[in-house]
Structures are given as C-alpha cells and as structure tokens.
RNA sequence: AGGGGCGUAGCUCAGUGGUAGAGCAGCGGCCUUUUAAGCCGAAGGUCGUGGGUUCGAUCCCCACCGCCCCUACCA
C-alpha cells in the first residue's frame, strides 16, 4: 500500500462499468490506491477507494457472488447499519460459552438467564421462513444462534436475510437449548460487523487443494480445524522452549539477520544490498557467530529464536527461510547438552501432546529416552548385511578406512537398488565418514537418537576430542530420519579456528565461506569461556509434534513460486509512486 | 536440476474423439427448533495455456505454466 502522486492514471476494471481494461477511459484520481494481486484474473488490477464514495472496485472470482455481496452492503446500509463498524463489545466468545455451558441443561439455562454478547464469523445458515439458524465461529470454536422474526423484529430479520456465509456479526441474546439439545443463543439483536465479499471454502470438504491451503492460508485456517491446531501447537512449542530456557537463566537476544560476511554454517546465502552504505549484505544462514560473540561479552547463557535463510532447494523438509532456536551455555560441554536435550525433548513432548510417545506417520516415537550412537557406531550398526562384512569402528578411524568402506558399499549398491554414496571430487577421511553415514544410516534413525562424535573435517566450529583430534565433541539429534538438532562443544581456540576457516576458504565451493570473519576471530582472541551450543530446528520439531508430513504444513506462508497473472512489472504505476 | 503424478463450475469431484454433469456455495420461491435442514425453480464452464493430429479435441500427441511427490544440495 502506498501514497500516490496526486494524479494517477489508472487502468482498471470498473465493477459498475463492466468493461475491459482497454474500454475503460483514463481518468484522474486523487487519493489512495491499493495494488491487489488476484489469483484468477490475468492482468494486474487495482482497487481504488475514495473517502466519500466507492466508485471503482476490483472484482474477484466468483464474480457474480462478489457483485451480489457488494450490493448487499448497500442494502445493509439502508437498514441503518454501518457495514464496517469500528468495534463490538462482547461479553463471551463462542469458546467461552461452549466451555462454560456445554454441560448446562435446558432447565438450568432457563433458570439463570444471562445476557450474552458474542461475535463471530458466520459459517452456516439455515433459513426457515420467519426464523433461522446459523453457526458463529470464533477462534476455531462455534456456537449456534437462533434468529426468530418475533425476537429480533422486522429490521433485524431483514438484516439476517442479508447475511452471507463468511460475514462477521455480533449478537445479543441469551443461551438456551434447542429441541435437539444443542446449546444455542436466542438472538434478540444482530450487529453487522464486516462483510465477506468472497465465499468461504466448501463447507463439507473444507479447503483441500494443497496449493490454495498454502497460498491462501487464511482460508485454510478458517476451514480446517486441524490446520489451525498445528499453528496453535507451534506457538505453544515456542512458548514452552522460552519457558525452559528462561527458567535456566538464559536471556533471549536478537542478533543481525543481515550479515556483511555469511557464516556459522555451510550454505549458500541470499544476497541483498544496502543503498546508503552501498554494500552487499547476506541474509544470515546462522546466528552462531554473533551469539558466540555474546558469550565472549559475558552473556553466559543466551538464546535466539528466529529465522535463518538458505538459498537451497525446497522440499518437504526444507524451506528457504526456517526458524531455529540457537542457544549457548558457558562452562558446559556437549555431554551436558546431550543430557539437557533428553530432558528437554521428553518435557516438551509431554507438555505439548500429553505423552512422551508421539505418533508420527506410521511410527510411534518414544521421547522418554534417546539412544546414543557415535557416528562410526551408527555406520557399523546400519551397514547392510548384503554388502558384506561391516567395517569396524577401528577400520573407520584408520587412514583411508572410511573411503575404503564407502567404495565397498558402493560396489554393492550399484548392483542393488540401494542408494549410492555419490561424492563430488576428492574427500577427506572425515568427509567420507559423513557421506557414508548419511547414505546408509540417517534415514534409519526413526526413534529419537543422539548421534555424536562427528569428524573434525565436517565440523569447523566444534572443539576436537582430546584423545582423538580427528573427531569433535559434536552431536546431532535425529528423529524420523530427520536432523532436528545440532550441538557441540564450541571451538574457542582462536588459532585453531583461524586454521579451520582458512582451510574452508582454500577448499572453495559454493557452500563454503569466501571471506574470513576477522572480527569473530578477534572476539575469540578476547577469550571465550568453554561453551556448549546448539541449534534446534523449530519447523521440523513442530512437524514431529503435530504429525505433519511436510514442512509447509507448519509454516504459515511457505515459499511458493509467486502467482504471476500477467507481467509482474505491470504494477509499476503503483509501485513507482 | 532429473524422474513420476495432477490441473474439468466459486469449492469437492464425475465423465466422454461429436464442444460437458453431480453435490455444496450463490440466485428466486415456500417453510417460526434446524444442524451436510428440506422441497420447487432458474443460472453458472475459453474442461490450466499454446501448438499439432483429426471432418471434429476437454479427451490423443508435443511444448509450456502451476502445484504435489521422489531423487540431488541442505537443516
């Protein structure tokens, strides 16, 4: 929405004029203009509303209903009701009434008549001559209203006749039970609150088109209670996490989302530009390096819950922007975090779902405990028997051992339908180990599992194990074959960190850093206490706790290709102002 | 990026090489305790877009667009 220059030449479809864009004459207009994207009309259109009169209006499909409902606005006005009033003072919500009086008998309701004022969206209407029923929905809960001509009067009943599914209204009346014993409101007065110019999704099937569910989430939320519930649960999960960390003396912080140097993860960043400074900035791929600067600064326990952006593919488990909880705890190591995670996941699942066992797809996930496997142990455990004798942890630890095992596995995989461990270019021992794990074991980790001791080669920010510098004190939590958390003892030796950064830059590749984050190294030189840190993927966690098969089901507005009716640049007249 | 699937009325879906149907929603009528309200009536579609084959395409073929799923990159 934007303020326009005083005179704007608008090419639009005129609702009343019913003519094509070409037929509509150019005209001058002073006021406000809102560009509106329209799913079903090819050309970009504008909605123009003047203060005094609505002369022109965008039209959406279904056009006939849209026009009919527009006319009803005038009829509602004619009845003396403001079609867009400013407020409604309610005493109860549908949810409150259902909660409080769901069990009250007809006699009890009759004996304790109380006036109620309730607002909601009309989701069903059953008109029967001089009376009718409707359901009002508010915050996902619904209550029936009974509107009788005798009770609401001539004008009130006319207003009731003008209502459409989707309209917002308020009612004043009292509770009673119908013949069929449904708790209902005996309406004495109707207040019109807002017009729905477009119809609700089909009442029986709801909104099933997945694309529309993602694009027009507002309709999905109205029509599908399960979808609404997912996002309520998501909010509760985040609440619980905050509570968990707040209770442990953590403070919540916000670090930059626009980074001059992308870092903290191996991923391709989005690039943007700041005009005044004339510099390119990168949408952050991880908050890690900033949060650790804060531990240097004496914030011994910090967390941040916010978005990361990675310019990678989109799938049922990946959205280009996703939400991470990252937290850092000074004076602890990765073992402490593993213990804490077991507690956290058990507590969280219990408080969110009521049980530590959670149904996800076809499996029951048991969060009451977590199996712990080192990465090498996982490879040995899930090595397919058909591929020959599994390697031992000692073999995998030896120079060239992981590579040899992967080659042996691949020789078998080629002959069978098993996934192939494809490597790009020459790999180090640690990279071979990681590759082999991902190929044969990752998707087998259905029950919550802590996988630990990652190769140093693929863990540039983790502290090495004192007894084996080829491994780091790092773990990841896998559930349902998905990585949901990643934590480690943070590398706080600046010299070693510099060595690893430089090695990454030398290695090159799209996901690798190209610049040295000098300030981060300087911060480490000021001394970072021993610290353990971790990131938890909130979207994936929500998937698990809401039994959602796709990450898009737990993100309100997942990234989709924009619907481009005509040429997207056609809105330039509006945007240019 | 590669492979597979889908796209028909506003919504949910049938269907056919001879230019299409149902339910719901919407419109008109009847109905003062219904609840997927009911009954009567009328209306609603460039069958995703563009080519091709054909006397004729919504159907067959090709391309494109969009979405979904799997694989690859990634968390």
């Amino acid at each position: 929405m934007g303020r326009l220059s005083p005179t704007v030449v608008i090419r639009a479809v005129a609702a009343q004029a019913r003519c094509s864009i070409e037929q509509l004459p150019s005209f001058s207009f002073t006021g406000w203009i809102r560009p509106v994207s329209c799913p079903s009309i090819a050309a970009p259109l504008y909605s123009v509303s003047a203060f005094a009169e609505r002369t022109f209006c965008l039209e959406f499909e279904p056009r006939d209903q849209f026009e009919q409902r527009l006319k009803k606005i005038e009829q509602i006005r004619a009845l003396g009701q403001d079609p867009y009033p400013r407020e409604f003072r309610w005493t109860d919500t549908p949810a409150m009434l259902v909660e409080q009086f769901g069990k009250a008998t007809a006699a009890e309701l009759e004996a304790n008549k109380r006036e109620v004022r309730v607002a909601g969206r009309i989701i069903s209407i059953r008109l029967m001559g001089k009376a009718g029923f409707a359901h009002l929905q508010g915050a996902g809960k619904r209550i029936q209203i009974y509107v009788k001509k005798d009770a609401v009067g001539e004008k009130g009943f006319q207003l009731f006749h003008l209502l459409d599914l989707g309209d917002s209204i308020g009612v004043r009346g009292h509770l009673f039970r119908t013949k069929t014993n449904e708790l209902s409101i005996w309406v004495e007065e109707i207040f019109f609150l807002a017009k729905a110019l477009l119809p609700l999704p089909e009442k029986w099937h709801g909104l099933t088109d997945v694309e529309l569910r993602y694009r027009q989430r507002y309709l999905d939320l109205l029509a599908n209670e399960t979808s609404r519930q997912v996002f309520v649960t998501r909010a509760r999960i985040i609440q619980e996490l905050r509570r968990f960390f707040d209770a442990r003396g953590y403070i919540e912080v916000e670090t930059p989302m626009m980074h001059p140097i992308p870092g903290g993860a191996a991923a391709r960043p989005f690039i943007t530009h700041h005009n005044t400074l004339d510099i390119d900035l990168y949408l952050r791929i991880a908050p890690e390096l900033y949060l650790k600067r804060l531990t240097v600064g004496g914030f011994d326990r910090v967390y941040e819950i916010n978005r990361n952006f990675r310019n990678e593919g989109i799938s049922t488990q990946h959205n280009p922007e996703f939400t991470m909880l990252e937290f850092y705890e000074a004076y602890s190591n990765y073992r402490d975090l593993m213990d804490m995670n077991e507690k956290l996941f058990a507590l969280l699942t219990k408080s969110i779902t009521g049980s530590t066992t959670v149904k996800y797809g076809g499996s029951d996930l048991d969060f009451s405990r977590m199996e712990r496997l080192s990465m090498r142990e996982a490879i040995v455990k899930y090595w397919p028997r058909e591929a020959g004798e599994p390697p031992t942890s000692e073999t995998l630890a030896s120079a060239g051992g992981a590579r040899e095992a992967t080659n042996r596995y691949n020789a078998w995989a080629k002959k069978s339908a098993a996934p192939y461990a494809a490597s790009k270019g020459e790999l180090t021992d640690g990279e071979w180990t990681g590759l082999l794990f991902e190929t044969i074991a990752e998707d087998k980790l259905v029950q919550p599992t802590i996988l630990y001791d990652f190769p140093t080669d693929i863990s540039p920010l983790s502290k090495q194990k004192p007894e084996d510098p080829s491994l780091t004190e790092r773990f990841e939590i896998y559930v349902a074959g998905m990585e949901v958390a990643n934590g480690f003892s943070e590398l706080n030796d600046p010299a070693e960190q510099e060595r690893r950064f430089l090695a990454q830059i030398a290695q090159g590749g799209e996901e690798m850093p190209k610049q040295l984050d000098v300030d981060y190294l300087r911060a480490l030189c000021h001394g970072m206490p021993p610290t353990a840190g971790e990131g938890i993927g909130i979207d994936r966690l929500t998937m698990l706790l809401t039994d959602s098969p796709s990450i898009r089901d737990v993100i309100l507005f997942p990234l989709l290709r924009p619907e481009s009716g005509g040429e997207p640049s056609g809105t330039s007249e509006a945007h240019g102002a």
Side-chain angles (χ1 to χ4, degrees), chain A residues 250-261:
Chain A
Y250 278 77
I251 66 161
E252 182 171 4
V253 296
E254 290 153 287
T255 62
M257 303 250 239
M258 297 194 291
H259 292 182
I261 300 170

Side-chain angles (χ1 to χ4, degrees), chain A residues 72-83 155 158 162:
Chain A
K72 284 184 179 174
I73 289 183
E74 292 317 310
Q75 294 175 283
I76 287 162
R77 202 193 298 275
L79 280 175
Q81 294 260 351
D82 181 352
K155 272 195 169 180
Q158 279 178 31
L162 288 172

Side-chain angles (χ1 to χ4, degrees), chain A residues 548-561:
Chain A
S548 299
S550 169
I551 200 166
R552 293 185 202 90
D553 296 326
V554 301
I555 293 175
L556 279 167
F557 300 99
L559 184 66
L560 302 177
R561 196 179 302 274

Side-chain angles (χ1 to χ4, degrees), chain A residues 20-209:
Chain A
S20 73
I21 293 172
E22 287 73 24
Q23 288 170 314
L24 192 77
S26 296
F27 63 97
S28 296
F29 174 81
T30 304
W32 299 80
I33 182 167
R34 282 178 289 148
V36 183
S37 83
C38 172
S40 40
I41 303 176
L45 299 171
Y46 303 101
S47 166
V48 181
S49 64
F51 291 109
E53 49 180 337
R54 275 185 302 282
T55 316
F56 292 101
C57 188
L58 226 201
E59 289 207 0
F60 289 102
E61 295 291 339
R63 201 172 276 226
D64 56 337
Q65 290 194 42
F66 190 84
E67 283 176 20
Q68 280 156 10
R69 289 172 179 227
L70 268 179
K71 285 187 191 129
K72 284 184 179 174
I73 289 183
E74 292 317 310
Q75 294 175 283
I76 287 162
R77 202 193 298 275
L79 280 175
Q81 294 260 351
D82 181 352
Y84 293 102
R86 267 108 196 124
E87 76 289 305
F88 178 74
R89 306 292 173 213
W90 49 268
T91 59
D92 303 85
T93 65
M96 288 158 71
L97 292 178
V98 170
E99 168 83 10
Q100 284 174 47
F101 299 101
K103 292 201 172 86
T105 65
E108 287 163 359
L109 293 173
E110 180 65 27
N112 309 307
K113 236 182 233 176
R114 174 163 81 86
E115 184 176 277
V116 296
R117 293 167 64 95
V118 182
R121 194 186 275 270
I122 300 169
I123 53 154
S124 72
I125 302 179
R126 293 171 295 285
L127 262 177
M128 292 164 302
K130 298 188 177 58
F133 291 91
H135 274 103
L136 284 191
Q137 179 171 290
K141 293 290 190 294
R142 53 191 60 174
I143 188 155
Q144 179 169 264
I145 63 171
Y146 178 55
V147 180
K148 200 163 80 145
K149 193 173 180 183
D150 299 347
V152 297
E154 180 69 37
K155 272 195 169 180
F157 204 65
Q158 279 178 31
L159 177 62
F160 186 53
H161 266 265
L162 288 172
L163 297 179
D164 289 301
L165 296 186
D167 288 356
S168 290
I169 62 164
V171 298
R172 178 179 63 78
H174 62 268
L175 291 173
F176 76 111
R177 283 197 182 271
T178 61
K179 273 183 186 169
T180 52
N181 210 35
E182 176 163 351
L183 181 68
S184 308
I185 300 173
W186 182 285
V187 177
E188 276 139 35
E189 195 174 0
I190 302 176
F191 305 86
F192 191 80
L193 298 183
K195 189 71 194 164
L197 291 171
L198 293 168
L200 288 175
E202 210 251 10
K203 71 174 173 187
W204 189 240
H205 298 92
L207 187 64
T208 56
D209 184 316

Side-chain angles (χ1 to χ4, degrees), chain A residues 355-424:
Chain A
S355 164
T356 49
T357 305
V358 176
K359 194 184 99 57
Y360 185 75
S363 37
D364 290 310
L365 306 174
D366 180 3
F367 284 93
S368 63
R369 59 170 295 279
M370 290 191 186
E371 187 178 4
R372 294 191 191 190
L373 284 174
S374 74
M375 184 179 272
R376 285 171 186 161
E377 284 166 356
I379 292 170
V380 174
K381 179 170 177 181
Y382 293 102
W383 179 272
R385 289 166 181 274
E386 301 79 15
E389 198 60 24
T392 61
S393 286
E394 291 69 36
T395 320
L396 291 170
S398 64
R403 178 185 183 169
E404 183 269 319
T406 310
N407 286 339
R408 204 150 57 79
Y409 167 81
N410 275 341
W412 168 77
K414 240 182 228 174
K415 291 180 289 184
S416 63
Y420 187 79
S423 60
K424 294 181 301 183

